[in-house]
Amino acid sequence: MNVVVFISGTGSNLAAIIKKQHQFGYKVCLVVSNNKKAKGLEFARNNNIPVFTFDWDKNDKHLTIVQDQINKHNCHLIVLAGFMKILPAEFVQSYKHNIINIHPSLLPKYPGLHTHQRVIDNKDKQHGATVHYVNDKLDAGTIISQVVIKVEKSADAKSLSKQLLFSEHSLLPFTMGLIVENRVEWHGDLLCFDQKTLTNPIIINE
Ligand code: GRF
């Protein structure tokens, strides 16, 4: 399965995706970024993966060019891995059921930003990350999988973010593998896992 990964910054999830592509049977054919200086673009270039950068533009002009690139590289799955922009509804609709995102919280808890700080402020005992399909609402699409971590008493937002990122690097490639193998697939508008309707997130343990 050919995939395109969208990033905006560091790209540590991208690096994990690239590193594990043979293990999980997908191929990163293109990396897209709204930030020409995104550090993560180095991983793509070092692995000879084509990179496409564009200026974010509210009138969507550049997204048409992004779509041309996606078609040119024959990508079937769009993976948002630290992509910090909200894609317009028409774009999402045209790739319905084919865009996934990784979010650093146990959705539906804490959509949006500053998830680690919110976990600390609320004295949560658990934290985690979620991979979900993207719909036209922020961090609200159908959930596929989650990884859960324990919040240590000494943790702060920075240490928690570092701890969780490490687990994200397992969660995202593994979940992509489930999609490649059709173990996770849409039956109409129902998301199924091993042919049964997915009612709870698939929990990935380290
Ligand atoms: C990750 O925490 C991801 O869950 C969130 O943005 C961060 C991206 O990190 N959406 P990186 O750029 O992959 O290092």
Side-chain angles (χ1 to χ4, degrees):
M1 180 182 279
N2 290 349
V3 307
V4 50
V5 184
F6 282 40
I7 64 164
S8 295
T10 313
S12 68
N13 276 291
L14 170 68
I17 291 170
I18 292 172
K19 195 167 152 207
K20 296 183 182 180
Q21 54 184 347
H22 299 297
Q23 184 183 348
F24 290 111
Y26 53 80
K27 184 171 180 218
V28 181
C29 291
L30 177 66
V31 173
V32 166
S33 182
N34 61 304
N35 174 10
K36 285 185 176 59
K37 294 187 180 149
K39 199 168 156 249
L41 296 174
E42 278 170 39
F43 298 116
R45 294 195 176 107
N46 290 343
N47 285 276
N48 298 317
I49 297 168
V51 160
F52 182 76
T53 59
F54 69 106
D55 293 317
W56 186 256
D57 186 335
K58 281 210 183 89
N59 72 20
D60 303 348
K61 196 176 65 195
H62 296 288
L63 280 174
T64 312
I65 309 172
V66 172
Q67 278 176 305
D68 291 344
Q69 288 291 318
I70 293 171
N71 294 340
K72 182 177 151 198
H73 292 279
N74 205 15
C75 303
H76 299 294
L77 180 69
I78 299 175
V79 179
L80 309 184
F83 183 65
M84 301 308 283
K85 296 286 180 186
I86 298 173
L87 292 165
E90 308 80 65
F91 184 93
V92 172
Q93 188 58 34
S94 60
Y95 294 102
K96 192 177 174 201
H97 295 167
N98 290 303
I99 311 179
I100 62 172
N101 176 49
I102 184 156
H103 180 77
S105 82
L106 293 171
L107 290 171
K109 243 182 169 185
Y110 310 134
L113 298 173
H114 311 303
T115 57
H116 313 297
Q117 190 58 53
R118 287 149 84 189
V119 165
I120 298 287
D121 293 346
N122 290 328
K123 301 188 170 43
D124 291 354
K125 295 205 163 49
Q126 284 191 328
H127 186 26
T130 302
V131 177
H132 64 93
Y133 278 95
V134 173
N135 65 10
D136 56 1
K137 298 192 185 65
L138 181 68
D139 301 326
T142 305
I143 291 172
I144 311 168
S145 58
Q146 293 182 324
V147 64
V148 181
I149 63 168
K150 187 171 172 258
V151 180
E152 302 296 339
K153 285 207 174 73
S154 59
D156 59 17
K158 198 171 166 203
S159 67
L160 206 49
S161 144
K162 197 169 161 202
Q163 188 190 346
L164 184 61
L165 206 48
F166 182 74
S167 299
E168 290 183 34
H169 298 163
S170 301
L171 178 68
L172 187 50
F174 182 84
T175 305
M176 291 167 68
L178 295 178
I179 295 170
V180 170
E181 291 177 345
N182 295 324
R183 291 188 66 194
V184 166
E185 65 179 351
W186 288 95
H187 292 185
D189 277 335
L190 275 186
L191 187 63
C192 295
F193 176 47
D194 287 344
Q195 305 294 327
K196 292 190 196 87
T197 306
L198 186 60
T199 44
N200 292 305
I202 302 161
I203 303 293
I204 311 287
N205 294 315
E206 290 296 305

